[in-house]
Amino acid sequence: MSRSVVVIGAGTNGLTAAQILATSGRQVIVLDQKQPADVDFDAGWVPPSVRAALNIQPEAEEQGSWLVMPMEGGRFELFADIARSAESIRRLSPRDASRWPEFCTRMRRLAGVLETLYQQNAPDVETTDPGELMHLALLGLRVRGLGRQTVIDLLRILPMPVAELLDEWFESELLKAAVGSTGVMDLCQGPRSAGTAFVMLHHHVGRPAGVFRPLRTSLRSTLSKRTNVEIRHDAAMHLEVAGERIRAVTLESGDTIETDCLVSSADPRRTMLDLLDPGWLDPEFMRAVHNIKMKGVAGTVTLALSCEAPFRQMSLAPSLTHIERAYDDVKYGRPSAQPWLELRNSGQKIEVQVQYLPQVPREGAWDEAGKRSLGNDVARRVVDAAPELKDAITGIRVMTPLDLDAHGGLTGGHRYQGDLTLDQILFMRPVAGWSRYRTPIGGLWLCGSGTHPGGGVAGASGLLAAREILRDAR
């Protein structure tokens, strides 16, 4: 590693990997393809291991309500305080209010198991190494130590549809939508699809019991201000390989940077199939990468405001059935007639995640007229839910999944570089047999959210990849 290490992408994982490698004494160059501001969805849990490695203090937990939903006669709110949420739920169902504390405790315990898995390399289920086998045994003992109920919950709940899980616990449709909608976040599935209970738990990782939404972080902006790595606003166009090892990267500007270590935070498909000549890869490996599920179905509508919105986060989905029907549209290539909207307050603007939208509609197109219609429909629904914003909207900006692909560097318009489904997690992420950030090309590594542990765990992939690179260089 005598020459500069090149990192593709100045997102959270790319900058994390760059900082760890620079701290070890490497000269690091980060290639930053400028992206629209809406593209960087810097949300999720920042593990303690990432904070410690980067010397970053924990962010203060948000207090008060973490979600608002419109309901007949007012608004329904859920709070960071479990008891306060239970009182709010009592308006919907006294039975649900009584069950809320136990539900929160059991879901938090399962999320804790995932937290352990997400702060270390994915388990190697084919290993014969004594150290790895001991590690697997200790992990199993830790899970068993959580008690019989947790083991049963872990085996039973992870493959379940989130709708079925919540049907077992609650009767209020609004409460089930508030909690269960994260089970399909950025996923081309509906809440009655198998495995969506796992996705809900994935987004609950690192959050307090009873809070079922990712935390917005400032990790990327914090790292981008550090000066111990060189950031070049140039895009990688082609990776040069010789003798089955990375040798250089050619840039959009026409420059070439020689390197024997290149770390890509771009998604695996873009890195391995677009930036590399196909002759360097085994056909079976190429097929596996090509078949990674990454069909983005969420767009973003940003509403500029003349004032600040009176809520932190709002969800516009009255029931999981509503979300399932929205999914039915996109299955057949149609934008949802009534999409699920997730609103996030961002100062004097609201960022609205719109799900479900096809990347390319079967009929029509995402031309200016189509995007304008989508933006106006979203603004209308937002005003219906928050009438105090009726005269406050000063601008509308729309990013469809097609825009996220074409202008944001997100293949398929997928924010997480691949679905977070049970067949694409742990040792199967990005593909089976290649979960330790290496690729078949020597010196070429992956560190984006398309690798373990996936999107929504800020900086973890970058940290774990950097550690593997340093271990390999010893």
Side-chain angles (χ1 to χ4, degrees):
M1 295 180 65
S2 57
R3 291 179 286 182
S4 297
V5 176
V6 176
V7 176
I8 296 176
T12 302
N13 283 304
L15 289 175
T16 298
Q19 290 292 336
I20 300 301
L21 294 171
T23 301
S24 71
R26 272 66 176 180
Q27 181 181 359
V28 181
I29 299 173
V30 177
L31 303 177
D32 177 25
Q33 180 182 10
K34 275 295 187 181
Q35 299 175 354
D38 309 72
V39 171
D40 184 53
F41 186 63
D42 198 7
W45 173 53
V46 183
S49 55
V50 173
R51 293 194 179 278
L54 298 173
N55 194 25
I56 294 175
Q57 295 299 313
E59 297 181 55
E61 276 290 341
E62 300 167 341
Q63 301 301 314
S65 65
W66 56 267
L67 190 68
V68 174
M69 299 182 75
M71 60 178 289
E72 187 175 350
R75 288 175 179 170
F76 168 63
E77 292 184 85
L78 288 171
F79 300 88
D81 181 83
I82 290 178
R84 193 175 177 189
S85 284
E87 284 305 307
S88 181
I89 294 168
R90 197 173 304 279
R91 298 165 57 199
L92 305 176
S93 165
R95 175 182 176 275
D96 289 356
S98 67
R99 305 203 72 185
W100 179 251
E102 183 186 357
F103 173 80
C104 294
T105 299
R106 283 170 62 174
M107 295 306 107
R108 184 67 194 86
R109 196 172 292 133
L110 294 181
V113 175
L114 297 181
E115 286 177 19
T116 300
L117 290 169
Y118 290 173
Q119 294 187 79
Q120 53 195 270
N121 282 340
D124 183 356
V125 296
E126 298 180 348
T127 187
T128 58
D129 178 79
E132 287 275 0
L133 292 172
M134 179 63 71
H135 176 72
L136 288 172
L138 291 174
L139 182 62
L141 287 173
R142 176 168 180 168
V143 173
R144 185 177 179 182
L146 295 174
R148 179 174 178 271
Q149 185 62 60
T150 300
V151 174
I152 293 173
D153 284 346
L154 191 67
L155 295 175
R156 179 174 179 270
I157 290 176
L158 294 190
M160 286 183 72
V162 70
E164 290 185 7
L165 169 66
L166 295 172
D167 284 344
E168 291 183 355
W169 280 91
F170 305 118
E171 59 187 11
S172 166
E173 295 300 327
L174 193 63
L175 177 60
K176 288 187 282 188
V179 175
S181 50
T182 57
V184 295
M185 187 176 286
D186 289 282
L187 187 65
C188 189
Q189 291 187 8
R192 303 201 178 280
S193 299
T196 48
F198 158 74
V199 181
M200 180 198 75
L201 289 171
H202 176 90
H203 291 299
H204 187 37
V205 162
R207 304 298 280 133
V211 178
F212 293 89
R213 283 299 186 283
L215 178 68
R216 197 70 176 264
T217 80
S218 59
L219 183 58
R220 181 180 185 271
S221 60
T222 298
L223 294 179
S224 64
K225 296 172 185 175
R226 297 188 175 182
T227 58
N228 57 336
V229 300
E230 178 187 351
I231 299 179
R232 292 186 56 171
H233 298 298
D234 210 339
M237 296 298 291
H238 189 260
L239 304 184
E240 305 290 343
V241 178
E244 299 187 346
R245 287 198 61 85
I246 193 73
R247 297 302 180 192
V249 54
T250 301
L251 308 181
E252 191 174 46
S253 63
D255 293 344
T256 296
I257 302 175
E258 292 187 352
T259 182
D260 50 18
C261 181
L262 188 142
V263 191
S264 177
S265 66
D267 68 84
R269 189 185 296 174
R270 190 170 293 250
T271 303
M272 306 306 297
L273 304 186
D274 293 347
L275 299 182
L276 273 176
D277 289 330
W280 292 110
L281 298 173
D282 177 80
E284 287 300 316
F285 177 81
M286 291 179 63
R287 186 176 295 111
V289 171
H290 178 76
N291 288 334
I292 295 172
K293 293 179 295 183
M294 49 173 39
K295 184 185 292 184
V297 291
T300 301
V301 174
T302 303
L303 304 177
L305 304 176
S306 59
C307 62
E308 187 166 340
F311 52 82
R312 178 183 302 157
Q313 191 151 319
M314 178 182 283
S315 183
L316 302 186
S319 67
L320 291 179
T321 299
H322 175 99
I323 297 176
E324 186 73 29
R325 288 172 179 164
Y327 167 59
D328 286 340
D329 283 336
V330 83
K331 280 193 300 186
Y332 300 105
R334 301 188 299 266
S336 171
Q338 287 290 316
W340 164 40
L341 304 183
E342 189 85 359
L343 286 59
R344 297 176 183 86
N345 183 336
S346 185
Q348 284 192 268
K349 65 180 181 178
I350 297 175
E351 295 174 2
V352 186
Q353 181 163 325
V354 186
Q355 193 170 322
Y356 299 80
L357 304 174
Q359 185 180 7
V360 179
R362 179 168 294 179
E363 297 179 2
W366 288 126
D367 53 18
E368 288 306 312
K371 291 166 65 172
R372 189 182 312 112
S373 176
L374 173 63
N376 290 337
D377 287 344
V378 168
R380 193 176 304 115
R381 284 187 61 192
V382 170
V383 169
D384 287 344
E388 57 266 57
L389 298 178
K390 180 179 180 181
D391 299 317
I393 298 175
T394 60
I396 302 174
R397 185 169 186 270
V398 177
M399 293 282 288
T400 69
L402 185 62
D403 293 322
L404 295 174
D405 186 312
H407 307 300
L410 301 178
T411 300
H414 203 299
R415 299 171 192 266
Y416 294 149
Q417 299 186 356
D419 289 353
L420 291 165
T421 49
L422 290 174
D423 61 328
Q424 291 190 171
I425 60 165
L426 298 175
F427 57 89
M428 293 175 287
R429 192 171 186 90
V431 296
W434 294 95
S435 65
R436 297 290 178 91
Y437 314 100
R438 291 173 171 80
T439 73
I441 305 299
L444 175 59
W445 303 77
L446 299 173
C447 75
S449 59
T451 62
H452 170 77
V457 189
S461 295
L463 172 65
L464 294 172
R467 286 178 173 173
E468 283 297 298
I469 293 167
L470 295 174
R471 189 178 295 116
D472 188 68
R474 290 173 187 165

